Coordinates of all heavy atoms in Angstrom, one line a residue:
L1050 N 0.8 -1.2 0.0 CA 0.0 0.0 0.0 C 0.9 1.2 0.0 O 2.0 1.3 0.6 CB -0.9 0.0 1.2 CG -1.9 -1.1 1.4 CD1 -2.6 -1.0 2.8 CD2 -2.9 -1.1 0.3
G1051 N 0.4 2.3 -0.6 CA 1.1 3.6 -0.6 C 1.1 4.2 0.7 O 0.2 4.0 1.6
K1052 N 2.0 5.1 0.9 CA 2.1 5.8 2.2 C 0.9 6.7 2.5 O 0.4 6.8 3.6 CB 3.4 6.7 2.2 CG 4.6 6.0 2.4 CD 5.8 6.9 2.5 CE 7.1 6.1 2.7 NZ 8.3 7.0 2.9
G1053 N 0.3 7.3 1.4 CA -0.9 8.1 1.6 C -2.1 7.3 2.1 O -2.8 7.7 3.0
L1054 N -2.3 6.1 1.5 CA -3.4 5.2 1.9 C -3.1 4.7 3.4 O -4.1 4.7 4.1 CB -3.5 4.0 1.0 CG -4.6 3.1 1.2 CD1 -6.0 3.8 1.3 CD2 -4.7 2.0 0.1
I1055 N -1.9 4.4 3.7 CA -1.6 3.9 5.1 C -1.9 5.1 6.0 O -2.5 4.8 7.1 CB -0.2 3.5 5.2 CG1 0.0 2.2 4.4 CG2 0.3 3.3 6.6 CD1 1.4 1.7 4.2
C1056 N -1.6 6.3 5.7 CA -1.9 7.4 6.6 C -3.4 7.6 6.8 O -3.8 7.8 7.9 CB -1.2 8.7 6.0 SG -1.4 10.1 7.0
V1057 N -4.1 7.5 5.7 CA -5.6 7.6 5.8 C -6.2 6.5 6.7 O -7.0 6.8 7.6 CB -6.2 7.6 4.4 CG1 -7.8 7.5 4.5 CG2 -5.9 8.8 3.6
I1058 N -5.7 5.3 6.5 CA -6.2 4.2 7.3 C -5.8 4.4 8.8 O -6.7 4.2 9.6 CB -5.6 2.8 6.8 CG1 -6.2 2.5 5.4 CG2 -5.9 1.7 7.8 CD1 -5.6 1.3 4.7
S1059 N -4.7 4.9 9.0 CA -4.2 5.1 10.4 C -5.1 6.2 11.0 O -5.5 6.0 12.2 CB -2.8 5.6 10.4 OG -2.3 6.0 11.7
Q1060 N -5.4 7.3 10.3 CA -6.3 8.3 10.9 C -7.7 7.8 11.1 O -8.3 8.1 12.1 CB -6.3 9.5 9.9 CG -5.0 10.3 9.8 CD -4.6 10.9 11.1 OE1 -5.4 11.4 11.9 NE2 -3.3 10.7 11.5
L1061 N -8.2 7.0 10.2 CA -9.5 6.4 10.4 C -9.6 5.5 11.6 O -10.5 5.5 12.4 CB -10.0 5.7 9.2 CG -10.4 6.5 8.0 CD1 -10.6 5.6 6.7 CD2 -11.6 7.4 8.3
M1062 N -8.5 4.7 11.8 CA -8.4 3.9 13.0 C -8.4 4.7 14.3 O -9.1 4.3 15.3 CB -7.2 3.0 12.9 CG -7.3 1.9 11.9 SD -8.6 0.7 12.1 CE -8.0 -0.2 13.6
K1063 N -7.7 5.8 14.3 CA -7.6 6.7 15.5 C -9.0 7.2 15.8 O -9.4 7.3 17.0 CB -6.6 7.8 15.3 CG -5.2 7.3 15.3 CD -4.2 8.4 15.1 CE -2.7 7.9 15.0 NZ -1.8 8.9 14.6
L1064 N -9.7 7.7 14.8 CA -11.0 8.2 15.0 C -12.0 7.2 15.5 O -12.8 7.4 16.4 CB -11.6 8.8 13.6 CG -11.0 10.1 13.2 CD1 -11.5 10.4 11.8 CD2 -11.3 11.2 14.1
F1065 N -11.9 6.0 15.0 CA -12.8 4.9 15.4 C -12.5 4.5 16.9 O -13.4 4.4 17.7 CB -12.6 3.6 14.5 CG -13.3 2.4 15.0 CD1 -14.7 2.3 14.8 CD2 -12.7 1.4 15.7 CE1 -15.4 1.3 15.3 CE2 -13.4 0.3 16.2 CZ -14.8 0.2 15.9
I1066 N -11.2 4.5 17.2 CA -10.9 4.1 18.6 C -11.3 5.2 19.6 O -11.9 4.9 20.6 CB -9.4 3.9 18.7 CG1 -9.0 2.6 18.0 CG2 -8.9 3.9 20.2 CD1 -7.5 2.4 17.8
A1067 N -11.2 6.5 19.2 CA -11.6 7.6 20.0 C -13.1 7.6 20.2 O -13.6 7.7 21.3 CB -11.1 8.9 19.5
H1068 N -13.8 7.3 19.1 CA -15.3 7.3 19.2 C -15.8 6.1 20.1 O -16.6 6.2 20.9 CB -15.9 7.2 17.8 CG -17.4 7.1 17.8 ND1 -18.2 8.2 18.1 CD2 -18.2 6.1 17.5 CE1 -19.4 7.8 18.0 NE2 -19.5 6.5 17.7
S1069 N -15.1 4.9 19.9 CA -15.5 3.7 20.7 C -15.2 4.0 22.1 O -16.0 3.6 23.0 CB -14.7 2.5 20.2 OG -15.1 2.2 18.8
K1070 N -14.1 4.6 22.4 CA -13.7 4.8 23.8 C -14.8 5.7 24.5 O -15.2 5.5 25.6 CB -12.4 5.5 23.9 CG -11.9 5.7 25.3 CD -10.5 6.3 25.3 CE -10.0 6.5 26.8 NZ -8.7 7.1 26.8
K1071 N -15.3 6.7 23.8 CA -16.3 7.6 24.4 C -17.6 6.9 24.6 O -18.2 7.1 25.6 CB -16.5 8.8 23.4 CG -15.4 9.8 23.4 CD -15.7 11.0 22.5 CE -14.5 11.9 22.4 NZ -14.8 13.0 21.5
Q1072 N -17.9 6.0 23.7 CA -19.1 5.1 23.9 C -19.0 4.2 25.1 O -19.9 4.1 25.9 CB -19.4 4.3 22.7 CG -20.0 5.1 21.5 CD -20.3 4.3 20.3 OE1 -19.6 3.4 20.0 NE2 -21.5 4.5 19.7
V1073 N -17.8 3.6 25.3 CA -17.6 2.7 26.4 C -17.7 3.5 27.7 O -18.3 3.1 28.7 CB -16.2 2.0 26.3 CG1 -15.9 1.3 27.6 CG2 -16.3 1.0 25.1
Q1074 N -17.0 4.7 27.7 CA -17.1 5.5 28.9 C -18.5 5.9 29.3 O -18.9 5.9 30.5 CB -16.2 6.7 28.8 CG -14.7 6.4 28.8 CD -13.8 7.6 28.5 OE1 -14.1 8.4 27.7 NE2 -12.6 7.6 29.1
A1075 N -19.3 6.3 28.3 CA -20.7 6.7 28.5 C -21.5 5.5 29.1 O -22.2 5.7 30.0 CB -21.3 7.2 27.3
G1076 N -21.3 4.3 28.5 CA -22.0 3.1 29.0 C -21.6 2.8 30.4 O -22.4 2.4 31.3
Y1077 N -20.3 2.9 30.7 CA -19.7 2.6 32.0 C -20.3 3.5 33.1 O -20.8 3.1 34.1 CB -18.2 2.7 32.0 CG -17.6 2.2 33.3 CD1 -17.1 0.9 33.4 CD2 -17.4 3.0 34.4 CE1 -16.5 0.4 34.6 CE2 -16.8 2.6 35.5 CZ -16.3 1.3 35.6 OH -15.8 0.8 36.8
S1078 N -20.4 4.8 32.7 CA -20.9 5.8 33.6 C -22.4 5.6 33.9 O -22.8 5.7 35.0 CB -20.7 7.2 33.0 OG -21.3 8.2 33.8
S1079 N -23.1 5.2 32.9 CA -24.5 4.9 33.0 C -24.7 3.7 34.0 O -25.6 3.7 34.8 CB -25.2 4.6 31.7 OG -26.5 4.2 31.8
C1080 N -23.9 2.7 33.8 CA -24.0 1.5 34.6 C -23.6 1.8 36.1 O -24.3 1.3 37.0 CB -23.1 0.4 34.1 SG -23.7 -0.4 32.6
A1081 N -22.6 2.6 36.3 CA -22.2 3.0 37.6 C -23.3 3.8 38.3 O -23.6 3.6 39.5 CB -20.9 3.9 37.6
Q1082 N -24.0 4.7 37.5 CA -25.1 5.4 38.1 C -26.3 4.5 38.5 O -26.9 4.7 39.5 CB -25.6 6.5 37.1 CG -24.6 7.6 36.9 CD -25.0 8.6 35.8 OE1 -26.0 8.3 35.1 NE2 -24.3 9.7 35.7
E1083 N -26.6 3.5 37.7 CA -27.6 2.5 38.0 C -27.2 1.7 39.2 O -28.1 1.5 40.1 CB -27.8 1.6 36.8 CG -28.6 2.2 35.6 CD -30.0 2.6 36.0 OE1 -30.7 1.8 36.7 OE2 -30.5 3.6 35.5
A1084 N -26.0 1.3 39.3 CA -25.5 0.6 40.5 C -25.7 1.5 41.8 O -26.2 1.0 42.8 CB -24.1 0.2 40.4
A1085 N -25.4 2.7 41.7 CA -25.5 3.6 42.8 C -27.0 3.8 43.2 O -27.3 3.7 44.4 CB -24.9 5.0 42.5
S1086 N -27.9 4.0 42.2 CA -29.3 4.1 42.5 C -29.8 2.8 43.2 O -30.6 2.9 44.1 CB -30.1 4.3 41.2 OG -29.7 5.5 40.7
F1087 N -29.4 1.6 42.7 CA -29.8 0.4 43.2 C -29.4 0.3 44.7 O -30.2 -0.1 45.6 CB -29.3 -0.8 42.4 CG -29.6 -2.1 43.0 CD1 -30.9 -2.7 42.8 CD2 -28.7 -2.8 43.7 CE1 -31.2 -3.9 43.4 CE2 -28.9 -4.1 44.3 CZ -30.2 -4.6 44.1
L1088 N -28.1 0.6 44.9 CA -27.6 0.4 46.3 C -28.3 1.4 47.3 O -28.5 1.0 48.4 CB -26.1 0.7 46.3 CG -25.2 -0.4 45.7 CD1 -23.8 0.1 45.5 CD2 -25.3 -1.7 46.5
L1089 N -28.6 2.6 46.8 CA -29.2 3.6 47.7 C -30.7 3.2 47.9 O -31.2 3.6 49.0 CB -29.1 5.0 47.1 CG -27.7 5.5 47.0 CD1 -27.7 6.8 46.2 CD2 -27.1 5.7 48.4
S1090 N -31.3 2.5 47.0 CA -32.8 2.3 47.1 C -33.1 0.9 47.7 O -34.2 0.6 48.0 CB -33.4 2.4 45.8 OG -33.0 1.4 44.9
T1091 N -32.0 0.1 47.9 CA -32.3 -1.3 48.4 C -32.1 -1.4 49.9 O -31.0 -1.1 50.4 CB -31.3 -2.3 47.7 OG1 -31.5 -2.2 46.3 CG2 -31.6 -3.7 48.2
P1092 N -33.1 -1.7 50.7 CA -33.0 -1.7 52.1 C -32.1 -2.9 52.5 O -32.1 -4.0 51.9 CB -34.4 -2.0 52.6 CG -35.3 -2.2 51.4 CD -34.5 -1.9 50.2
G1093 N -31.4 -2.7 53.6 CA -30.6 -3.8 54.1 C -29.2 -4.0 53.5 O -28.4 -4.8 54.0
V1094 N -28.9 -3.2 52.6 CA -27.5 -3.2 52.0 C -26.5 -2.6 52.9 O -26.8 -1.4 53.4 CB -27.4 -2.6 50.6 CG1 -26.0 -2.5 50.1 CG2 -28.3 -3.3 49.6
D1095 N -25.5 -3.3 53.3 CA -24.5 -2.7 54.2 C -23.8 -1.5 53.5 O -23.3 -1.5 52.4 CB -23.4 -3.7 54.4 CG -22.3 -3.3 55.4 OD1 -22.3 -2.1 55.8 OD2 -21.4 -4.1 55.7
I1096 N -23.9 -0.3 54.2 CA -23.5 0.9 53.6 C -22.0 0.9 53.2 O -21.6 1.5 52.2 CB -23.8 2.1 54.5 CG1 -23.6 3.4 53.7 CG2 -23.0 2.1 55.7 CD1 -24.4 4.6 54.2
T1097 N -21.2 0.2 54.0 CA -19.7 0.1 53.7 C -19.5 -0.6 52.4 O -18.6 -0.3 51.6 CB -18.9 -0.5 54.9 OG1 -19.4 -1.8 55.2 CG2 -19.0 0.4 56.1
V1098 N -20.3 -1.7 52.2 CA -20.1 -2.4 50.9 C -20.5 -1.5 49.7 O -19.8 -1.5 48.7 CB -21.0 -3.7 50.9 CG1 -21.0 -4.4 49.6 CG2 -20.6 -4.7 52.0
G1099 N -21.6 -0.8 49.9 CA -22.0 0.1 48.8 C -21.0 1.2 48.6 O -20.6 1.5 47.4
Q1100 N -20.4 1.7 49.6 CA -19.4 2.8 49.5 C -18.1 2.2 48.8 O -17.6 2.9 47.9 CB -19.0 3.3 50.9 CG -20.0 4.2 51.5 CD -19.7 4.6 52.9 OE1 -19.0 3.8 53.6 NE2 -20.3 5.7 53.4
R1101 N -17.7 1.0 49.2 CA -16.5 0.4 48.5 C -16.8 0.2 47.0 O -15.9 0.4 46.2 CB -16.1 -0.9 49.2 CG -15.5 -0.6 50.6 CD -15.2 -1.9 51.3 NE -14.3 -2.8 50.5 CZ -14.4 -4.1 50.6 NH1 -15.2 -4.7 51.4 NH2 -13.6 -4.9 49.8
M1102 N -18.0 -0.3 46.7 CA -18.3 -0.6 45.3 C -18.3 0.7 44.5 O -17.7 0.7 43.4 CB -19.6 -1.3 45.2 CG -20.0 -1.7 43.8 SD -21.5 -2.6 43.8 CE -21.9 -2.6 42.1
L1103 N -19.0 1.7 45.0 CA -19.0 3.0 44.3 C -17.7 3.6 44.2 O -17.4 4.2 43.1 CB -20.0 3.9 45.0 CG -21.5 3.4 44.9 CD1 -22.4 4.3 45.7 CD2 -22.0 3.2 43.5
A1104 N -16.8 3.5 45.2 CA -15.5 4.0 45.1 C -14.7 3.3 44.0 O -14.0 3.9 43.2 CB -14.7 3.9 46.4
H1105 N -14.9 2.0 43.9 CA -14.2 1.2 42.9 C -14.7 1.6 41.5 O -13.9 1.8 40.6 CB -14.5 -0.3 43.1 CG -14.0 -1.2 42.0 ND1 -12.6 -1.5 41.8 CD2 -14.6 -1.8 41.0 CE1 -12.5 -2.2 40.7 NE2 -13.7 -2.4 40.2
L1106 N -16.0 1.8 41.3 CA -16.5 2.2 40.0 C -16.0 3.6 39.6 O -15.7 3.8 38.5 CB -18.1 2.1 40.1 CG -18.7 0.7 40.2 CD1 -20.2 0.9 40.4 CD2 -18.4 -0.1 38.9
S1107 N -16.0 4.5 40.6 CA -15.6 5.8 40.2 C -14.1 5.9 39.9 O -13.7 6.7 39.1 CB -15.9 6.8 41.3 OG -15.2 6.6 42.5
T1108 N -13.3 5.1 40.6 CA -11.9 5.0 40.3 C -11.6 4.6 38.8 O -10.7 5.1 38.2 CB -11.2 4.0 41.2 OG1 -11.3 4.5 42.6 CG2 -9.7 3.9 40.9
N1109 N -12.4 3.6 38.4 CA -12.2 3.1 37.0 C -13.0 3.8 36.0 O -12.9 3.5 34.8 CB -12.6 1.6 37.0 CG -11.7 0.8 37.9 OD1 -10.5 0.9 37.8 ND2 -12.3 -0.1 38.7
M1110 N -13.8 4.8 36.3 CA -14.6 5.5 35.4 C -13.8 6.3 34.3 O -14.2 6.4 33.2 CB -15.6 6.4 36.1 CG -16.7 6.9 35.2 SD -18.0 7.8 36.0 CE -18.6 6.6 37.3
A1111 N -12.6 6.8 34.7 CA -11.8 7.6 33.8 C -11.4 6.8 32.6 O -11.4 7.2 31.5 CB -10.6 8.2 34.5
N1112 N -11.0 5.5 32.8 CA -10.6 4.7 31.7 C -11.0 3.2 31.9 O -10.2 2.4 32.3 CB -9.0 4.8 31.6 CG -8.6 4.2 30.2 OD1 -9.4 3.6 29.5 ND2 -7.3 4.4 29.9
P1113 N -12.3 2.9 31.7 CA -12.8 1.6 31.9 C -12.2 0.5 31.0 O -12.1 -0.6 31.4 CB -14.3 1.7 31.7 CG -14.4 2.9 30.8 CD -13.3 3.8 31.2
I1114 N -11.7 0.9 29.8 CA -11.1 -0.1 29.0 C -9.8 -0.6 29.6 O -9.5 -1.8 29.7 CB -10.8 0.5 27.6 CG1 -12.2 0.9 26.9 CG2 -10.1 -0.5 26.7 CD1 -12.0 1.7 25.6
A1115 N -8.9 0.3 30.0 CA -7.6 -0.1 30.6 C -7.9 -0.9 31.9 O -7.2 -1.8 32.2 CB -6.8 1.2 30.9
S1116 N -8.9 -0.4 32.7 CA -9.2 -1.1 33.9 C -9.6 -2.6 33.6 O -9.2 -3.5 34.3 CB -10.3 -0.4 34.7 OG -9.9 0.9 35.0
A1117 N -10.4 -2.8 32.6 CA -10.9 -4.1 32.3 C -9.7 -5.0 31.8 O -9.7 -6.2 32.1 CB -12.0 -4.0 31.2
L1118 N -8.8 -4.4 31.0 CA -7.7 -5.2 30.5 C -6.8 -5.6 31.7 O -6.3 -6.7 31.7 CB -6.9 -4.3 29.5 CG -7.6 -4.1 28.1 CD1 -6.8 -3.2 27.3 CD2 -7.9 -5.4 27.4
Q1119 N -6.6 -4.7 32.6 CA -5.7 -5.0 33.7 C -6.3 -6.1 34.6 O -5.6 -6.9 35.1 CB -5.4 -3.8 34.6 CG -4.4 -2.8 33.9 CD -4.2 -1.5 34.6 OE1 -4.9 -1.3 35.6 NE2 -3.3 -0.7 34.2
S1120 N -7.6 -6.0 34.8 CA -8.2 -7.0 35.7 C -8.4 -8.3 35.1 O -8.6 -9.3 35.8 CB -9.6 -6.5 36.2 OG -10.5 -6.4 35.1
S1121 N -8.3 -8.4 33.8 CA -8.4 -9.7 33.1 C -7.1 -10.5 33.1 O -7.0 -11.6 32.6 CB -8.9 -9.5 31.7 OG -8.0 -8.9 30.9
R1122 N -6.0 -9.9 33.5 CA -4.7 -10.5 33.5 C -4.5 -11.4 34.7 O -4.9 -11.3 35.7 CB -3.6 -9.5 33.4 CG -3.6 -8.8 32.1 CD -2.5 -7.8 32.1 NE -2.6 -7.0 30.8 CZ -1.8 -6.0 30.6 NH1 -0.9 -5.6 31.4 NH2 -2.0 -5.4 29.4

């Protein structure tokens, strides 16, 4: 392939990855919010367990893809 075509393909891949990452982050954020709502509305849930879970989710919210890759090793 020519250098021009390789450059175009490279740029398209970067755009795709950036777009996909934003979608993953939005989905992760939505799931974290649902988990928080569930924990707050469920009677009998130990508050420290809920706090630990929400702290874990918020820690990984910035980059859920990297967090998932690290935890799968």
Side-chain angles (χ1 to χ4, degrees):
L1050 297 172
K1052 286 184 179 182
L1054 183 55
I1055 291 173
C1056 183
V1057 169
I1058 291 171
S1059 175
Q1060 290 300 318
L1061 287 173
M1062 290 296 290
K1063 288 178 185 175
L1064 287 172
F1065 175 76
I1066 290 169
H1068 179 71
S1069 296
K1070 185 177 177 183
K1071 287 179 184 178
Q1072 286 182 316
V1073 169
Q1074 287 174 326
Y1077 188 94
S1078 177
S1079 177
C1080 288
Q1082 290 172 353
E1083 286 294 322
S1086 295
F1087 176 79
L1088 289 171
L1089 293 173
S1090 66
T1091 304
V1094 174
D1095 183 358
I1096 193 155
T1097 57
V1098 172
Q1100 288 171 335
R1101 287 178 53 212
M1102 182 175 167
L1103 295 175
H1105 172 76
L1106 290 172
S1107 65
T1108 299
N1109 295 315
M1110 197 172 299
N1112 196 351
I1114 297 171
S1116 299
L1118 290 174
Q1119 289 175 352
S1120 66
S1121 68
R1122 291 181 186 174

